[in-house]
Amino acid sequence: MIHSLTLTDIAVSRGERRLFTGLNLELKAGEALALTGANGAGKTSLLRAIAGLLRPDAGDVIFHDGDGNQLAEREARGRETHFLGHQDGLKTARTAREELGFQCDWLGHTQHGFDHAVEAFGLQPLLDLEVRRLSAGQRRRLAMGRLGGSPRALWLLDEPMAPLDARWRDAFADQMRRHLEADGLIIAAVHDPLPIPVRTLDLGGLG
Protein backbone atom coordinates (compact mmCIF):
# COMPACT_ATOMS: atom_id res chain seq x y z
CA MET A 1 0.00 0.00 0.00
CA ILE A 2 1.25 3.49 -0.83
CA HIS A 3 2.26 5.24 2.37
CA SER A 4 4.22 8.13 0.91
CA LEU A 5 4.90 9.81 -2.41
CA THR A 6 8.06 11.69 -3.38
CA LEU A 7 8.55 13.89 -6.43
CA THR A 8 12.13 14.89 -7.23
CA ASP A 9 13.17 17.58 -9.73
CA ILE A 10 10.05 17.11 -11.86
CA ALA A 11 9.85 19.09 -15.11
CA VAL A 12 6.80 19.06 -17.38
CA SER A 13 6.12 20.78 -20.69
CA ARG A 14 3.06 21.24 -22.88
CA GLY A 15 4.05 21.48 -26.51
CA GLU A 16 6.94 23.93 -26.67
CA ARG A 17 6.12 25.61 -23.34
CA ARG A 18 7.75 24.51 -20.09
CA LEU A 19 5.09 24.47 -17.38
CA PHE A 20 7.41 23.97 -14.42
CA THR A 21 10.82 22.58 -13.59
CA GLY A 22 12.69 21.46 -10.48
CA LEU A 23 9.48 20.59 -8.63
CA ASN A 24 10.04 18.66 -5.38
CA LEU A 25 7.35 17.29 -3.11
CA GLU A 26 6.81 14.74 -0.37
CA LEU A 27 3.35 13.62 0.73
CA LYS A 28 2.68 11.12 3.51
CA ALA A 29 -0.27 8.99 4.58
CA GLY A 30 -3.06 11.08 6.07
CA GLU A 31 -2.09 14.23 4.16
CA ALA A 32 -3.91 16.20 1.46
CA LEU A 33 -2.35 18.61 -1.01
CA ALA A 34 -4.18 21.28 -3.02
CA LEU A 35 -2.61 22.26 -6.35
CA THR A 36 -3.42 25.88 -7.15
CA GLY A 37 -2.47 28.30 -9.90
CA ALA A 38 -3.83 29.96 -13.00
CA ASN A 39 -5.40 28.04 -15.86
CA GLY A 40 -2.56 26.49 -17.85
CA ALA A 41 -0.14 26.46 -14.93
CA GLY A 42 0.18 22.66 -15.11
CA LYS A 43 -2.09 21.41 -12.32
CA THR A 44 -3.73 18.73 -14.46
CA SER A 45 -0.41 17.87 -16.12
CA LEU A 46 1.17 17.23 -12.72
CA LEU A 47 -1.69 14.94 -11.71
CA ARG A 48 -1.34 13.05 -14.98
CA ALA A 49 2.43 12.72 -14.47
CA ILE A 50 1.90 11.21 -11.03
CA ALA A 51 -0.77 8.87 -12.44
CA GLY A 52 1.61 7.73 -15.18
CA LEU A 53 -0.52 9.18 -18.00
CA LEU A 54 2.12 11.74 -18.95
CA ARG A 55 5.88 11.30 -18.96
CA PRO A 56 7.77 14.16 -17.26
CA ASP A 57 10.61 15.79 -19.14
CA ALA A 58 12.81 15.13 -16.12
CA GLY A 59 12.64 13.93 -12.53
CA ASP A 60 11.28 10.96 -10.60
CA VAL A 61 7.93 9.94 -9.12
CA ILE A 62 8.58 7.48 -6.28
CA PHE A 63 6.05 5.54 -4.19
CA HIS A 64 6.92 3.98 -0.80
CA ASP A 65 5.14 1.52 1.46
CA GLY A 66 4.77 1.86 5.22
CA ASP A 67 8.24 0.42 5.83
CA GLY A 68 9.88 2.90 3.49
CA ASN A 69 10.41 0.38 0.71
CA GLN A 70 10.10 1.69 -2.84
CA LEU A 71 7.11 0.26 -4.70
CA ALA A 72 7.13 -0.72 -8.36
CA GLU A 73 5.54 2.14 -10.30
CA ARG A 74 3.25 -0.10 -12.34
CA GLU A 75 1.91 -1.84 -9.26
CA ALA A 76 1.51 1.36 -7.24
CA ARG A 77 -0.39 3.09 -10.02
CA GLY A 78 -2.37 0.07 -11.16
CA ARG A 79 -3.53 -1.11 -7.74
CA GLU A 80 -3.25 1.81 -5.34
CA THR A 81 -4.10 4.98 -7.29
CA HIS A 82 -7.37 6.60 -8.37
CA PHE A 83 -7.28 9.34 -11.01
CA LEU A 84 -10.51 11.31 -11.31
CA GLY A 85 -10.06 13.71 -14.20
CA HIS A 86 -11.96 16.80 -15.24
CA GLN A 87 -13.85 14.59 -17.69
CA ASP A 88 -15.80 11.89 -15.86
CA GLY A 89 -15.02 9.16 -18.40
CA LEU A 90 -18.48 7.57 -18.15
CA LYS A 91 -20.24 5.52 -20.83
CA THR A 92 -23.44 7.45 -21.49
CA ALA A 93 -25.46 4.52 -22.90
CA ARG A 94 -25.16 2.50 -19.70
CA THR A 95 -27.38 2.90 -16.68
CA ALA A 96 -25.76 4.37 -13.59
CA ARG A 97 -25.93 0.91 -12.00
CA GLU A 98 -24.16 -0.70 -14.95
CA GLU A 99 -21.52 2.01 -15.10
CA LEU A 100 -20.75 1.96 -11.38
CA GLY A 101 -20.67 -1.84 -11.46
CA PHE A 102 -18.28 -1.82 -14.41
CA GLN A 103 -15.98 0.74 -12.79
CA CYS A 104 -15.88 -1.17 -9.52
CA ASP A 105 -15.36 -4.54 -11.23
CA TRP A 106 -12.57 -3.17 -13.39
CA LEU A 107 -10.79 -1.53 -10.47
CA GLY A 108 -11.42 -4.38 -8.02
CA HIS A 109 -14.09 -4.25 -5.33
CA THR A 110 -16.41 -6.13 -3.04
CA GLN A 111 -20.20 -5.87 -2.93
CA HIS A 112 -19.75 -3.90 0.27
CA GLY A 113 -17.71 -1.37 -1.72
CA PHE A 114 -20.47 -0.97 -4.30
CA ASP A 115 -23.08 -0.52 -1.57
CA HIS A 116 -20.89 1.98 0.24
CA ALA A 117 -20.48 4.04 -2.93
CA VAL A 118 -24.23 4.11 -3.49
CA GLU A 119 -24.89 5.27 0.06
CA ALA A 120 -22.01 7.74 0.31
CA PHE A 121 -22.83 9.58 -2.90
CA GLY A 122 -26.63 9.29 -2.86
CA LEU A 123 -26.77 7.18 -6.00
CA GLN A 124 -29.77 4.95 -5.23
CA PRO A 125 -32.34 7.13 -7.07
CA LEU A 126 -30.03 7.30 -10.10
CA LEU A 127 -29.13 3.64 -10.56
CA ASP A 128 -31.77 2.80 -13.18
CA LEU A 129 -31.26 5.98 -15.22
CA GLU A 130 -29.03 6.11 -18.28
CA VAL A 131 -25.90 8.13 -17.67
CA ARG A 132 -26.84 10.44 -20.56
CA ARG A 133 -29.90 11.58 -18.55
CA LEU A 134 -27.90 12.65 -15.49
CA SER A 135 -26.99 16.23 -14.68
CA ALA A 136 -23.35 17.31 -14.46
CA GLY A 137 -23.46 17.07 -10.67
CA GLN A 138 -25.08 13.63 -10.73
CA ARG A 139 -22.49 12.39 -13.21
CA ARG A 140 -19.70 13.67 -10.99
CA ARG A 141 -21.17 11.84 -8.00
CA LEU A 142 -21.38 8.67 -10.07
CA ALA A 143 -17.75 9.05 -11.12
CA MET A 144 -16.81 9.62 -7.48
CA GLY A 145 -18.44 6.31 -6.62
CA ARG A 146 -15.32 4.48 -7.75
CA LEU A 147 -13.38 6.14 -4.92
CA GLY A 148 -15.56 4.44 -2.32
CA GLY A 149 -16.44 1.37 -4.34
CA SER A 150 -12.83 0.35 -4.92
CA PRO A 151 -10.69 1.74 -2.10
CA ARG A 152 -7.17 2.81 -3.06
CA ALA A 153 -4.53 4.73 -1.14
CA LEU A 154 -3.81 7.68 -3.43
CA TRP A 155 -6.57 9.91 -4.83
CA LEU A 156 -5.59 12.22 -7.70
CA LEU A 157 -8.50 14.61 -8.26
CA ASP A 158 -8.93 17.28 -10.94
CA GLU A 159 -11.44 19.95 -9.83
CA PRO A 160 -13.46 17.26 -8.04
CA MET A 161 -16.13 19.49 -6.51
CA ALA A 162 -16.78 21.92 -9.37
CA PRO A 163 -20.20 20.54 -10.49
CA LEU A 164 -21.46 19.72 -6.97
CA ASP A 165 -23.98 21.71 -4.97
CA ALA A 166 -23.43 22.53 -1.29
CA ARG A 167 -25.03 19.31 0.00
CA TRP A 168 -22.80 17.02 -2.03
CA ARG A 169 -19.70 19.13 -1.45
CA ASP A 170 -20.25 18.49 2.26
CA ALA A 171 -20.80 14.78 1.61
CA PHE A 172 -17.61 14.52 -0.42
CA ALA A 173 -15.69 16.46 2.21
CA ASP A 174 -16.77 13.79 4.69
CA GLN A 175 -15.49 11.05 2.36
CA MET A 176 -12.15 12.83 1.99
CA ARG A 177 -11.79 13.14 5.76
CA ARG A 178 -12.55 9.43 6.16
CA HIS A 179 -9.99 8.58 3.51
CA LEU A 180 -7.27 10.60 5.24
CA GLU A 181 -8.15 9.12 8.64
CA ALA A 182 -7.58 5.68 7.08
CA ASP A 183 -4.04 6.75 6.05
CA GLY A 184 -5.02 7.69 2.52
CA LEU A 185 -3.37 10.47 0.49
CA ILE A 186 -5.09 13.11 -1.66
CA ILE A 187 -3.73 15.48 -4.30
CA ALA A 188 -6.36 17.74 -5.85
CA ALA A 189 -6.13 20.43 -8.52
CA VAL A 190 -8.48 23.20 -7.41
CA HIS A 191 -9.54 26.77 -7.98
CA ASP A 192 -11.70 26.96 -4.84
CA PRO A 193 -10.41 25.90 -1.40
CA LEU A 194 -11.06 22.34 -0.32
CA PRO A 195 -13.23 21.98 2.82
CA ILE A 196 -10.59 19.91 4.63
CA PRO A 197 -7.15 20.75 6.09
CA VAL A 198 -4.62 20.78 3.26
CA ARG A 199 -1.15 21.85 2.29
CA THR A 200 -1.00 24.03 -0.80
CA LEU A 201 1.36 23.98 -3.76
CA ASP A 202 0.92 27.05 -5.98
CA LEU A 203 2.13 26.40 -9.53
CA GLY A 204 1.61 30.04 -10.49
CA GLY A 205 1.10 30.57 -14.19
CA LEU A 206 0.05 33.49 -16.34
CA GLY A 207 -3.63 32.56 -16.75
Side-chain angles (χ1 to χ4, degrees):
M1 178 175 173
I2 297 173
H3 194 268
S4 66
L5 167 69
T6 302
L7 308 185
T8 305
D9 291 329
I10 297 292
V12 171
S13 298
R14 179 184 297 144
E16 298 298 320
R17 184 167 71 91
R18 177 61 58 85
L19 298 174
F20 50 80
T21 187
L23 188 149
N24 297 287
L25 169 70
E26 183 174 5
L27 193 71
K28 297 182 179 180
E31 293 184 334
L33 177 73
L35 302 177
T36 63
N39 290 335
K43 301 185 295 294
T44 297
S45 295
L46 180 55
L47 290 177
R48 290 174 60 83
I50 296 170
L53 302 175
L54 179 155
R55 183 182 296 276
D57 300 328
D60 297 301
V61 178
I62 303 172
F63 306 94
H64 293 95
D65 64 18
D67 294 322
N69 301 311
Q70 185 171 335
L71 298 171
E73 291 184 25
R74 182 184 296 271
E75 180 176 348
R77 288 170 169 143
R79 297 183 180 181
E80 295 292 339
T81 300
H82 274 306
F83 176 73
L84 184 61
H86 186 68
Q87 300 294 326
D88 293 323
L90 304 172
K91 297 294 185 181
T92 59
R94 292 176 176 150
T95 66
R97 185 191 310 277
E98 291 168 340
E99 181 62 14
L100 180 62
F102 171 79
Q103 294 284 346
C104 290
D105 283 342
W106 181 51
L107 295 168
H109 82 301
T110 64
Q111 183 60 43
H112 172 74
F114 181 96
D115 294 341
H116 170 71
V118 170
E119 180 179 359
F121 296 102
L123 301 177
Q124 188 64 48
L126 311 179
L127 290 179
D128 294 324
L129 299 177
E130 289 184 343
V131 172
R132 71 174 89 243
R133 298 177 56 191
L134 304 182
S135 70
Q138 289 170 336
R139 290 174 64 152
R140 175 56 65 157
R141 284 159 47 201
L142 178 59
M144 286 176 165
R146 74 189 71 157
L147 302 176
S150 304
R152 293 182 171 201
L154 175 60
W155 291 3
L156 303 172
L157 311 174
D158 194 357
E159 295 291 346
M161 306 181 81
L164 301 180
D165 61 25
R167 173 189 176 188
W168 294 111
R169 287 183 177 220
D170 290 343
F172 187 51
D174 182 62
Q175 293 305 308
M176 287 191 287
R177 283 190 288 267
R178 290 172 180 265
H179 182 62
L180 296 176
E181 289 168 359
D183 283 341
L185 306 88
I186 297 174
I187 303 179
V190 298
H191 284 295
D192 300 320
L194 288 174
I196 57 172
V198 296
R199 293 163 47 197
T200 300
L201 176 61
D202 186 0
L203 297 180
L206 299 178

mmCIF file of all heavy atoms in Angstrom, residues 7-14 17-24 42 45-46 49 54-61:
data_model
loop_
_atom_site.group_PDB
_atom_site.id
_atom_site.type_symbol
_atom_site.label_atom_id
_atom_site.label_comp_id
_atom_site.label_asym_id
_atom_site.label_seq_id
_atom_site.Cartn_x
_atom_site.Cartn_y
_atom_site.Cartn_z
ATOM 1 N N LEU A 7 8.232 13.365 -5.111
ATOM 2 C CA LEU A 7 8.550 13.891 -6.428
ATOM 3 C C LEU A 7 9.885 14.618 -6.336
ATOM 4 O O LEU A 7 10.073 15.456 -5.451
ATOM 5 C CB LEU A 7 7.476 14.868 -6.915
ATOM 6 C CG LEU A 7 6.022 14.405 -6.889
ATOM 7 C CD1 LEU A 7 5.128 15.471 -7.514
ATOM 8 C CD2 LEU A 7 5.850 13.080 -7.600
ATOM 9 N N THR A 8 10.785 14.314 -7.258
ATOM 10 C CA THR A 8 12.127 14.887 -7.228
ATOM 11 C C THR A 8 12.468 15.519 -8.570
ATOM 12 O O THR A 8 12.489 14.837 -9.600
ATOM 13 C CB THR A 8 13.174 13.806 -6.893
ATOM 14 O OG1 THR A 8 12.813 13.168 -5.669
ATOM 15 C CG2 THR A 8 14.550 14.415 -6.743
ATOM 16 N N ASP A 9 12.707 16.840 -8.549
ATOM 17 C CA ASP A 9 13.167 17.578 -9.733
ATOM 18 C C ASP A 9 12.294 17.334 -10.958
ATOM 19 O O ASP A 9 12.793 17.146 -12.076
ATOM 20 C CB ASP A 9 14.623 17.231 -10.063
ATOM 21 C CG ASP A 9 15.588 17.769 -9.011
ATOM 22 O OD1 ASP A 9 15.290 18.819 -8.425
ATOM 23 O OD2 ASP A 9 16.630 17.124 -8.776
ATOM 24 N N ILE A 10 10.975 17.366 -10.760
ATOM 25 C CA ILE A 10 10.050 17.110 -11.859
ATOM 26 C C ILE A 10 9.976 18.322 -12.789
ATOM 27 O O ILE A 10 9.845 19.466 -12.340
ATOM 28 C CB ILE A 10 8.639 16.793 -11.323
ATOM 29 C CG1 ILE A 10 8.656 15.508 -10.490
ATOM 30 C CG2 ILE A 10 7.631 16.683 -12.465
ATOM 31 C CD1 ILE A 10 8.931 14.254 -11.287
ATOM 32 N N ALA A 11 10.050 18.060 -14.082
ATOM 33 C CA ALA A 11 9.854 19.086 -15.112
ATOM 34 C C ALA A 11 8.815 18.573 -16.099
ATOM 35 O O ALA A 11 8.872 17.414 -16.526
ATOM 36 C CB ALA A 11 11.162 19.392 -15.833
ATOM 37 N N VAL A 12 7.878 19.438 -16.461
ATOM 38 C CA VAL A 12 6.805 19.058 -17.381
ATOM 39 C C VAL A 12 6.585 20.183 -18.379
ATOM 40 O O VAL A 12 6.584 21.364 -18.005
ATOM 41 C CB VAL A 12 5.495 18.763 -16.622
ATOM 42 C CG1 VAL A 12 4.323 18.595 -17.593
ATOM 43 C CG2 VAL A 12 5.635 17.509 -15.766
ATOM 44 N N SER A 13 6.402 19.817 -19.640
ATOM 45 C CA SER A 13 6.118 20.782 -20.694
ATOM 46 C C SER A 13 4.802 20.431 -21.370
ATOM 47 O O SER A 13 4.344 19.286 -21.338
ATOM 48 C CB SER A 13 7.229 20.788 -21.750
ATOM 49 O OG SER A 13 8.467 21.164 -21.200
ATOM 50 N N ARG A 14 4.208 21.445 -21.993
ATOM 51 C CA ARG A 14 3.065 21.238 -22.875
ATOM 52 C C ARG A 14 3.422 21.854 -24.214
ATOM 53 O O ARG A 14 3.560 23.065 -24.329
ATOM 54 C CB ARG A 14 1.799 21.881 -22.313
ATOM 55 C CG ARG A 14 0.579 21.710 -23.238
ATOM 56 C CD ARG A 14 -0.630 22.423 -22.702
ATOM 57 N NE ARG A 14 -1.043 21.866 -21.424
ATOM 58 C CZ ARG A 14 -1.549 22.582 -20.424
ATOM 59 N NH1 ARG A 14 -1.666 23.898 -20.540
ATOM 60 N NH2 ARG A 14 -1.910 21.999 -19.311
ATOM 61 N N ARG A 17 6.083 24.763 -24.538
ATOM 62 C CA ARG A 17 6.122 25.609 -23.342
ATOM 63 C C ARG A 17 6.411 24.789 -22.093
ATOM 64 O O ARG A 17 5.721 23.815 -21.814
ATOM 65 C CB ARG A 17 4.797 26.360 -23.174
ATOM 66 C CG ARG A 17 4.794 27.335 -22.000
ATOM 67 C CD ARG A 17 3.597 28.269 -22.091
ATOM 68 N NE ARG A 17 2.354 27.592 -21.804
ATOM 69 C CZ ARG A 17 1.815 27.505 -20.581
ATOM 70 N NH1 ARG A 17 2.435 28.033 -19.545
ATOM 71 N NH2 ARG A 17 0.663 26.885 -20.404
ATOM 72 N N ARG A 18 7.422 25.168 -21.347
ATOM 73 C CA ARG A 18 7.746 24.511 -20.089
ATOM 74 C C ARG A 18 6.781 25.013 -19.010
ATOM 75 O O ARG A 18 6.685 26.221 -18.772
ATOM 76 C CB ARG A 18 9.195 24.817 -19.699
ATOM 77 C CG ARG A 18 9.646 24.239 -18.366
ATOM 78 C CD ARG A 18 9.576 22.724 -18.303
ATOM 79 N NE ARG A 18 10.347 22.032 -19.302
ATOM 80 C CZ ARG A 18 11.635 21.739 -19.172
ATOM 81 N NH1 ARG A 18 12.307 22.093 -18.112
ATOM 82 N NH2 ARG A 18 12.253 21.079 -20.132
ATOM 83 N N LEU A 19 6.055 24.108 -18.414
ATOM 84 C CA LEU A 19 5.087 24.468 -17.380
ATOM 85 C C LEU A 19 5.767 24.708 -16.039
ATOM 86 O O LEU A 19 5.471 25.677 -15.349
ATOM 87 C CB LEU A 19 4.025 23.369 -17.249
ATOM 88 C CG LEU A 19 3.165 23.118 -18.488
ATOM 89 C CD1 LEU A 19 2.253 21.918 -18.266
ATOM 90 C CD2 LEU A 19 2.354 24.353 -18.838
ATOM 91 N N PHE A 20 6.645 23.807 -15.656
ATOM 92 C CA PHE A 20 7.413 23.974 -14.422
ATOM 93 C C PHE A 20 8.624 23.058 -14.476
ATOM 94 O O PHE A 20 8.676 22.117 -15.260
ATOM 95 C CB PHE A 20 6.564 23.687 -13.174
ATOM 96 C CG PHE A 20 5.801 22.392 -13.221
ATOM 97 C CD1 PHE A 20 6.423 21.188 -12.941
ATOM 98 C CD2 PHE A 20 4.449 22.380 -13.535
ATOM 99 C CE1 PHE A 20 5.732 19.997 -12.975
ATOM 100 C CE2 PHE A 20 3.743 21.190 -13.574
ATOM 101 C CZ PHE A 20 4.386 20.006 -13.301
ATOM 102 N N THR A 21 9.599 23.366 -13.647
ATOM 103 C CA THR A 21 10.815 22.576 -13.587
ATOM 104 C C THR A 21 11.342 22.576 -12.158
ATOM 105 O O THR A 21 11.032 23.473 -11.368
ATOM 106 C CB THR A 21 11.882 23.146 -14.544
ATOM 107 O OG1 THR A 21 13.003 22.249 -14.578
ATOM 108 C CG2 THR A 21 12.337 24.532 -14.118
ATOM 109 N N GLY A 22 12.101 21.544 -11.809
ATOM 110 C CA GLY A 22 12.690 21.460 -10.482
ATOM 111 C C GLY A 22 11.677 21.330 -9.366
ATOM 112 O O GLY A 22 11.933 21.775 -8.243
ATOM 113 N N LEU A 23 10.534 20.700 -9.641
ATOM 114 C CA LEU A 23 9.483 20.585 -8.629
ATOM 115 C C LEU A 23 9.791 19.412 -7.698
ATOM 116 O O LEU A 23 10.018 18.288 -8.152
ATOM 117 C CB LEU A 23 8.126 20.392 -9.297
ATOM 118 C CG LEU A 23 6.892 20.445 -8.388
ATOM 119 C CD1 LEU A 23 5.693 20.988 -9.171
ATOM 120 C CD2 LEU A 23 6.551 19.073 -7.829
ATOM 121 N N ASN A 24 9.793 19.683 -6.398
ATOM 122 C CA ASN A 24 10.039 18.663 -5.378
ATOM 123 C C ASN A 24 8.875 18.641 -4.405
ATOM 124 O O ASN A 24 8.333 19.689 -4.027
ATOM 125 C CB ASN A 24 11.327 18.961 -4.613
ATOM 126 C CG ASN A 24 12.551 18.914 -5.509
ATOM 127 O OD1 ASN A 24 12.990 17.845 -5.924
ATOM 128 N ND2 ASN A 24 13.097 20.079 -5.820
ATOM 129 N N GLY A 42 -0.345 24.025 -15.130
ATOM 130 C CA GLY A 42 0.183 22.663 -15.110
ATOM 131 C C GLY A 42 -0.394 21.784 -14.022
ATOM 132 O O GLY A 42 0.144 20.707 -13.742
ATOM 133 N N SER A 45 -1.585 18.577 -15.601
ATOM 134 C CA SER A 45 -0.408 17.868 -16.124
ATOM 135 C C SER A 45 0.367 17.190 -14.999
ATOM 136 O O SER A 45 0.861 16.064 -15.161
ATOM 137 C CB SER A 45 0.497 18.834 -16.888
ATOM 138 O OG SER A 45 -0.150 19.328 -18.037
ATOM 139 N N LEU A 46 0.470 17.841 -13.842
ATOM 140 C CA LEU A 46 1.172 17.234 -12.723
ATOM 141 C C LEU A 46 0.415 16.006 -12.214
ATOM 142 O O LEU A 46 1.027 14.963 -11.938
ATOM 143 C CB LEU A 46 1.358 18.244 -11.595
ATOM 144 C CG LEU A 46 2.082 17.732 -10.351
ATOM 145 C CD1 LEU A 46 3.439 17.139 -10.702
ATOM 146 C CD2 LEU A 46 2.238 18.852 -9.321
ATOM 147 N N ALA A 49 1.065 13.246 -14.602
ATOM 148 C CA ALA A 49 2.427 12.719 -14.471
ATOM 149 C C ALA A 49 2.518 11.754 -13.291
ATOM 150 O O ALA A 49 3.158 10.701 -13.383
ATOM 151 C CB ALA A 49 3.417 13.863 -14.311
ATOM 152 N N LEU A 54 1.272 10.763 -18.264
ATOM 153 C CA LEU A 54 2.123 11.741 -18.945
ATOM 154 C C LEU A 54 3.545 11.539 -18.441
ATOM 155 O O LEU A 54 3.759 11.405 -17.235
ATOM 156 C CB LEU A 54 1.614 13.161 -18.642
ATOM 157 C CG LEU A 54 2.353 14.365 -19.208
ATOM 158 C CD1 LEU A 54 1.361 15.536 -19.306
ATOM 159 C CD2 LEU A 54 3.525 14.786 -18.337
ATOM 160 N N ARG A 55 4.491 11.508 -19.353
ATOM 161 C CA ARG A 55 5.882 11.301 -18.957
ATOM 162 C C ARG A 55 6.557 12.659 -18.709
ATOM 163 O O ARG A 55 6.590 13.509 -19.609
ATOM 164 C CB ARG A 55 6.657 10.547 -20.046
ATOM 165 C CG ARG A 55 8.107 10.229 -19.661
ATOM 166 C CD ARG A 55 8.827 9.526 -20.792
ATOM 167 N NE ARG A 55 8.232 8.237 -21.067
ATOM 168 C CZ ARG A 55 8.523 7.112 -20.410
ATOM 169 N NH1 ARG A 55 9.415 7.157 -19.416
ATOM 170 N NH2 ARG A 55 7.950 5.976 -20.732
ATOM 171 N N PRO A 56 7.066 12.891 -17.514
ATOM 172 C CA PRO A 56 7.766 14.159 -17.263
ATOM 173 C C PRO A 56 9.002 14.300 -18.141
ATOM 174 O O PRO A 56 9.600 13.305 -18.557
ATOM 175 C CB PRO A 56 8.158 14.057 -15.778
ATOM 176 C CG PRO A 56 7.311 12.970 -15.203
ATOM 177 C CD PRO A 56 7.042 12.018 -16.329
ATOM 178 N N ASP A 57 9.379 15.543 -18.404
ATOM 179 C CA ASP A 57 10.613 15.791 -19.142
ATOM 180 C C ASP A 57 11.827 15.376 -18.323
ATOM 181 O O ASP A 57 12.859 14.984 -18.879
ATOM 182 C CB ASP A 57 10.738 17.274 -19.482
ATOM 183 C CG ASP A 57 9.583 17.773 -20.335
ATOM 184 O OD1 ASP A 57 9.053 16.983 -21.131
ATOM 185 O OD2 ASP A 57 9.213 18.948 -20.196
ATOM 186 N N ALA A 58 11.713 15.494 -17.012
ATOM 187 C CA ALA A 58 12.810 15.134 -16.117
ATOM 188 C C ALA A 58 12.240 14.844 -14.738
ATOM 189 O O ALA A 58 11.111 15.229 -14.429
ATOM 190 C CB ALA A 58 13.837 16.274 -16.033
ATOM 191 N N GLY A 59 13.028 14.165 -13.917
ATOM 192 C CA GLY A 59 12.641 13.927 -12.532
ATOM 193 C C GLY A 59 12.044 12.553 -12.294
ATOM 194 O O GLY A 59 11.862 11.756 -13.226
ATOM 195 N N ASP A 60 11.752 12.283 -11.028
ATOM 196 C CA ASP A 60 11.284 10.961 -10.599
ATOM 197 C C ASP A 60 10.037 11.074 -9.741
ATOM 198 O O ASP A 60 9.920 11.975 -8.903
ATOM 199 C CB ASP A 60 12.373 10.254 -9.795
ATOM 200 C CG ASP A 60 13.624 9.987 -10.611
ATOM 201 O OD1 ASP A 60 13.520 9.291 -11.639
ATOM 202 O OD2 ASP A 60 14.695 10.487 -10.219
ATOM 203 N N VAL A 61 9.115 10.127 -9.962
ATOM 204 C CA VAL A 61 7.933 9.944 -9.123
ATOM 205 C C VAL A 61 8.125 8.621 -8.397
ATOM 206 O O VAL A 61 8.206 7.566 -9.033
ATOM 207 C CB VAL A 61 6.641 9.912 -9.952
ATOM 208 C CG1 VAL A 61 5.426 9.676 -9.053
ATOM 209 C CG2 VAL A 61 6.477 11.203 -10.752
#
